[in-house]
Amino acid sequence: MIRINENFTKLKASYLFSDIAKRVAAYASAHPDKPIIRLGIGDVTEPLPPACVSALHAATDEMAARDTFRGYGPEQGYPFLREAIAAHDYAARGCAIEADEIFVSDGAKCDSGNIQEIFGADIRLAIPDPVYPVYVDTNVMAGRTGANIDDRYEGITYLDCTPANRYVPAIPDTPTDLIYLCFPNNPTGAVATRDQLAAWVAYAREHRAIILYDSAYEAFIRDPQIPHSIYEIEGAREVAIEFRSFSKIAGFTGTRCAYTVVPKSLHAYDSAGAPHSVHALWNRRHTTKFNGVAYPIQRAAAAVYSAEGQQQTRALTEFYLGNAKLIRSRLESLGLPCIGGDNAPYIWINTGTDSWAFFDKLLNEAQVVCTPGAGFGKCGEGHVRISAFNSRENVETALDRIAKALAS
Ligand code: MLT
C-alpha cells in the first residue's frame, strides 16, 4: 500500500495565498456587481519594461532560425546573464561575487524552498515570525519540525518581529544552523541596518551556521545607508546564500526569472565534521533537477542591465513606491500605525484587531483584498499587509473605500 509523506499532514490545509484566492473568488461569485481591488498577493500589474520586451522578441526570432536556434542551455544560466548580474548587482557594490557563483532559476520562491534539501534532516532552524510561508512550509514537508501547537511548529526557533523591535528580530541566545532572513522584509517592509546584518554574520560565523538571505525586494531600497546585499557585510561569503528575483524589479512574476548566489567559500559539514562545498552540493542538485530558464527569458532579464533597462526598471519601482507612500500616509492619517512602504512595496499595518476579521471587513465593506498578518505567523496577528502593486487609480480608489469602511 502506497503511503504518503506524513509530514504533509502537519501543514495547514492550503498555502496562504491559495486560501485567500479561494475566499476572494467566493466573494466575487456571490457579488458579481462589486469590483474588487487586489492589494493582497504581491503580484505586479505594470507591463514588462520595453527594453526587456525588445530583447524577448529578438531572442524569440533567434529561436525561429536554424542558425541561431538553441536547445538546452547551461542549467546554471547563460554566461551573458550571470556575468551581467555579477557586474551590476555585486561588483558595482563592492561585493566579490563571481559569475559562476550565480545560479539562474525560475523563481526565488522555488530556490528558497528547495535549498533546504541539501542540508541535514536534523539541523536547527531559526525562522522569523511573521515570515514568507515558504520557508516554514518547506521545512515541515522535509520533516524538520514536530507538530503545530498553538500556531507554532515544534523544532523551530522563532525570531519574533514585533513593534517593540521595529520588526527586526534579535539574535537568538542559542545556537542554530540555518537562519532565514529577508530584507527588505516580506511581509513587514522593514529593512535591516548594516550593523544588524553584521551581527547576524558574526553569529553565523561563530556557530558555523548558514544564513539564507532573501533580498528579492532590494530594488525598492531608497535609504543609502541600507545594504542591498548580505555580501556588503564583511565575512558573509563564508556564511550566506542570497536569493534575488526579476519578478518585482522588472515585472517578471509571470515571465519567471530569478537567481541564487552560492559562494564557493561556503561550507557545510558531514556527520564526521568534514567540510563540504555548498556550491558543489547546490550545483549537483540544480543540474539534476532543473534544466535552465528559457533562452528568450534570460535575454529579457539581461536587458534589465542595459542603460534603458536600468532607467525603465527604476521608473517601475519608483511608481510602486509612489503607491506605497500614498497607502502608508493615508492609513496613518486614519490613526493606524504602519511600517514599510519606504524601502519596500509592502505596508504593514498594526490594526490591533483580529487580522482575518480585518481582512473580511475590507473585503466585504470596501471590496479591497489585503493579506491577514496571522497568515504569516503568530506575531503577524493584529496586523495586515497591504501591497503597493496595482495601478495608481486602483490604489486611490481602494484607499477611499478603506477610509469609508473604517469610518462606519
Ligand atoms: C507575496 O505576496 O508575499 C509574494 O508575492 C509571494 C511571492 O513572491 O511568492
Side-chain angles (χ1 to χ4, degrees):
M1 180 173 61
I2 181 77
R3 284 186 41 217
I4 61 160
N5 171 352
E6 289 186 18
N7 295 310
F8 277 64
T9 64
K10 299 176 195 160
L11 293 165
K12 290 198 187 118
S14 58
Y15 181 62
L16 172 63
F17 292 106
S18 320
D19 195 8
I20 292 171
K22 260 187 254 152
R23 288 184 187 224
V24 174
Y27 181 86
S29 86
H31 304 90
D33 52 322
K34 296 200 170 164
I36 294 170
I37 299 177
R38 289 172 169 79
L39 302 176
I41 192 166
D43 193 7
V44 293
T45 54
E46 304 310 297
L48 294 172
C52 299
V53 175
S54 303
L56 192 53
H57 280 299
T60 306
D61 287 342
E62 284 183 60
M63 296 296 271
R66 174 168 294 278
D67 287 353
T68 47
F69 170 78
R70 295 171 190 239
Y72 291 128
E75 295 95 335
Q76 303 87 344
Y78 283 100
F80 64 79
L81 179 55
R82 300 172 89 193
E83 283 159 18
I85 292 167
H88 290 266
D89 289 347
Y90 293 102
R93 290 200 169 271
C95 306
I97 295 296
E98 302 298 327
D100 64 359
E101 295 177 316
I102 293 161
F103 293 80
V104 175
S105 77
D106 61 354
K109 176 180 184 174
C110 324
D111 286 353
S112 62
N114 290 329
I115 195 88
Q116 46 75 30
E117 213 182 292
I118 63 173
F119 301 112
D122 55 353
I123 55 167
R124 295 162 296 185
L125 304 167
I127 305 186
D129 177 0
V131 76
Y132 182 43
V134 172
Y135 312 157
V136 174
D137 287 3
T138 53
N139 278 292
V140 175
M141 290 171 182
R144 287 198 188 86
T145 68
N148 189 321
I149 296 166
D150 192 21
D151 217 14
R152 289 210 151 168
Y153 287 100
E154 293 170 323
I156 294 179
T157 297
Y158 284 93
L159 309 171
D160 289 357
C161 304
T162 64
N165 58 22
R166 301 290 299 157
Y167 305 97
V168 177
I171 288 175
D173 45 21
T174 50
T176 53
D177 304 309
L178 192 65
I179 304 145
Y180 288 78
L181 296 177
C182 172
F183 293 110
N185 188 258
N186 178 15
T188 69
V191 286
T193 63
R194 192 169 295 277
D195 286 351
Q196 286 167 328
L197 291 183
W200 278 106
V201 168
Y203 169 84
R205 291 178 72 91
E206 182 189 342
H207 297 291
R208 292 202 284 180
I210 286 181
I211 297 170
L212 299 179
Y213 194 73
D214 184 345
S215 62
Y217 298 93
E218 64 77 33
F220 293 87
I221 296 174
R222 291 295 180 271
D223 181 339
Q225 302 301 321
I226 298 297
H228 287 235
S229 165
I230 188 84
Y231 304 116
E232 290 178 51
I233 309 299
E234 211 185 314
R237 273 188 58 88
E238 285 75 42
V239 291
I241 291 171
E242 181 161 288
F243 304 99
R244 293 260 186 117
S245 168
F246 293 96
S247 284
K248 315 293 156 108
I249 181 178
F252 274 53
T253 52
T255 313
R256 310 306 306 154
C257 198
Y259 65 88
T260 290
V261 182
V262 187
K264 290 192 186 141
S265 41
L266 190 63
H267 292 95
Y269 303 85
D270 64 25
S271 48
H276 291 257
S277 159
V278 174
H279 182 278
L281 292 172
W282 184 243
N283 192 55
R284 185 71 174 84
R285 192 259 171 219
H286 197 74
T287 50
T288 305
K289 294 197 175 181
F290 189 63
N291 255 343
V293 172
Y295 171 71
I297 302 299
Q298 292 195 54
R299 280 288 180 201
V304 164
Y305 300 105
S306 65
E308 314 80 68
Q310 289 286 285
Q311 181 261 320
Q312 292 161 3
T313 50
R314 175 82 185 186
L316 263 183
T317 52
E318 277 295 297
F319 171 74
Y320 291 126
L321 283 168
N323 285 347
K325 197 169 177 185
L326 284 178
I327 296 168
R328 180 163 169 176
S329 64
R330 186 75 178 269
L331 289 162
E332 282 178 337
S333 78
L334 298 172
L336 293 168
C338 301
I339 69 148
D342 39 6
N343 294 291
Y346 297 126
I347 297 90
W348 185 241
I349 304 148
N350 188 348
T351 64
T353 55
D354 179 271
S355 67
W356 279 105
F358 197 89
F359 167 90
D360 284 336
K361 183 173 175 72
L362 291 199
L363 181 60
N364 291 314
E365 296 175 30
Q367 292 76 50
V368 172
V369 181
C370 65
T371 308
F376 297 106
K378 198 172 168 141
C379 292
E381 188 48 280
H383 297 75
V384 296
R385 188 191 78 176
I386 291 195
S387 144
F389 293 116
N390 216 311
S391 66
R392 185 61 47 86
E393 191 190 350
N394 276 350
V395 165
E396 285 169 348
T397 307
L399 290 172
D400 288 343
R401 291 198 206 154
I402 291 171
K404 212 164 138 201
L406 295 183
S408 66

